[in-house]
């Protein structure tokens, strides 16, 4: 499998809370979740969490055992929690968390796992978008105040903090949405599946900061996004996202929580060669 990656922090002076990495037969992509100014009783931060969890996931994918993807994720969550359960309050809703995408070639199939709002986009004759949108569905009930205010204003910043706090009441609960945090049981809530490798020409793993060119901005469809990746690579996709964000800094055309977001894309080809 050949993997091309690109990632970019929302701002040059802040840590990138996304993570992506690959083995010869697997890829992981995480989008960290957290917000300064909201309550958290963990001292490590979101970027630390995504790197630790991402490294554990990568080790799990590199293992030659036949462990299922949810089992690998559960063990990685367990290992990462053990790194700071003696210093941090991991039952706090503000504990760092992350969305997760995992992709693995296994014999003649391509296996995937998607947890929370990240997207896995597979292409053969037409794109197949696999998205866990439970967080977005719940968020629709809370985001009106935030979307009606201009980005970059104190009022918008406060509305976004209120929005995040409201969502936390639904995080990792039945009837809510699930993310990787400190509870390994979240892995059982992930969307999992597989496809014959012969039916898949390429696969794209996207954080929501990269997929927003399509699913929030509507500047291209999924076929167009895959064409960008095929013809120009992940860095060009992110460049186009940044251009769109810069053209609407106050969120008047595209209301959103953050004017700029960490953006990460991994584009996988030559799947049969894994």
């Amino acid at each position: 499998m050949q993997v091309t990656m690109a990632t970019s922090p929302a701002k040059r002076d802040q840590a990138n809370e996304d993570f992506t990495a690959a083995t010869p037969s697997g890829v992981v992509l995480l989008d960290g979740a957290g917000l300064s100014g909201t309550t958290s009783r963990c001292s490590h931060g979101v970027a630390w969490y995504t790197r630790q969890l991402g490294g554990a996931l990568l080790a799990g994918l590199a293992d030659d055992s036949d462990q299922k993807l949810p089992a690998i994720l559960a063990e990685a969550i367990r290992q990462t929690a053990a790194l700071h359960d003696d210093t941090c309050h991991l039952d706090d809703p503000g504990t760092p968390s992350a969305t997760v995408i995992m992709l693995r070639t296994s014999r003649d199939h391509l296996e995937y796992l998607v947890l929370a709002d990240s997207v896995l986009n597979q292409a053969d004759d037409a794109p197949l978008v696999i998205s866990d949108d439970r967080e977005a569905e719940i968020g629709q009930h809370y985001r009106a105040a935030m979307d009606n205010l201009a980005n970059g204003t104190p009022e918008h910043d406060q509305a976004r903090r209120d929005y995040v706090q409201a969502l936390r009441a639904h995080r990792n609960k039945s009837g809510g949405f699930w993310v990787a945090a400190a509870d390994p049981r979240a892995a059982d809530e992930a969307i999992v599946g597989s496809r014959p490798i012969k039916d898949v020409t390429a696969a794209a793993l996207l954080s929501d900061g990269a997929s927003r060119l399509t699913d929030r901005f509507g500047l291209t469809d999924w076929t167009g996004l895959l064409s960008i990746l095929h013809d120009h690579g992940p860095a060009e996709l992110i460049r186009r996202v940044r251009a769109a964000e810069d053209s609407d800094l106050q969120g008047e055309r595209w209301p959103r929580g953050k004017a700029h977001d960490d953006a990460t894309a991994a584009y996988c080809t030559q799947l049969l060669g894994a």
Side-chain angles (χ1 to χ4, degrees):
M1 178 165 56
Q2 178 173 301
V3 184
T4 307
M5 302 175 175
T7 187
S8 170
K11 297 179 181 179
R12 293 181 180 178
D13 60 348
Q14 72 180 31
N16 189 339
E17 295 174 346
D18 287 356
F19 175 94
T20 190
T23 72
S25 60
V27 190
V28 298
L29 189 150
L30 283 71
D31 183 351
L35 179 64
S36 60
T38 59
T39 59
S40 175
R41 299 166 72 188
C42 174
S43 61
H44 292 88
V46 176
W48 175 89
Y49 177 78
T50 55
R51 291 164 188 164
Q52 298 299 323
L53 181 64
L57 288 171
L58 203 65
L61 284 177
D63 192 336
D64 289 334
S65 70
D66 290 329
Q67 265 197 317
K68 300 295 186 182
L69 295 183
I72 294 174
L73 175 57
E75 179 58 25
I77 293 173
R78 187 177 295 108
Q79 290 177 12
T80 304
L83 295 176
H84 63 146
D85 63 356
D86 59 342
T87 60
C88 303
H89 297 269
L90 302 189
D91 58 346
D92 187 279
T95 291
S97 62
T99 70
V100 179
I101 312 176
M102 301 171 67
L103 184 74
R104 179 175 66 183
T105 56
S106 180
R107 299 181 181 87
D108 57 353
H109 276 72
L110 185 69
E111 301 174 341
Y112 58 83
L113 176 150
V114 181
L115 183 67
D117 66 347
S118 296
V119 175
L120 170 64
N121 196 324
Q122 298 176 307
D124 39 26
D125 292 336
L128 171 63
V129 181
I130 302 162
S131 178
D132 179 1
D133 57 3
R134 286 172 287 188
E135 180 179 356
E137 291 176 355
I138 292 171
Q140 290 177 355
H141 301 289
Y142 298 103
R143 62 179 304 132
M146 178 179 66
D147 288 344
N148 288 329
L149 294 166
N151 285 70
T153 63
E155 294 80 10
H156 183 274
D157 292 343
Q158 182 58 52
R160 182 167 174 252
R161 284 190 289 270
D162 294 342
Y163 170 75
V164 171
Q165 293 285 25
L167 281 185
R168 284 177 176 172
H170 301 273
R171 192 182 79 165
N172 286 2
K173 292 183 178 179
S174 178
F177 64 95
W178 296 80
V179 293
D183 187 350
R185 292 176 298 178
D188 295 330
E189 302 294 332
I191 296 172
V192 295
S194 67
R195 300 185 70 194
I197 291 179
K198 64 180 179 60
D199 295 338
V200 183
T201 57
L205 289 73
L206 309 167
S207 71
D208 63 357
S211 66
R212 59 171 36 183
L213 190 74
T214 292
D215 56 20
R216 180 157 296 276
F217 299 160
L219 294 176
T220 186
D221 58 15
W222 292 111
T223 299
L225 186 149
L226 284 167
S227 294
I228 294 170
L229 291 172
H230 178 270
D231 296 339
H232 306 288
E236 174 62 15
L237 171 62
I238 294 174
R239 187 198 69 78
R240 296 191 190 193
V241 169
R242 295 289 180 245
E245 292 169 335
D246 289 343
S247 73
D248 181 44
L249 292 176
Q250 293 190 318
E252 294 178 353
R253 181 178 180 185
W254 301 300
R256 55 197 189 273
K258 293 177 279 188
H260 298 86
D261 194 7
D262 297 338
T264 302
Y267 185 58
C268 310
T269 56
Q270 300 182 23
L271 303 174
L272 284 171

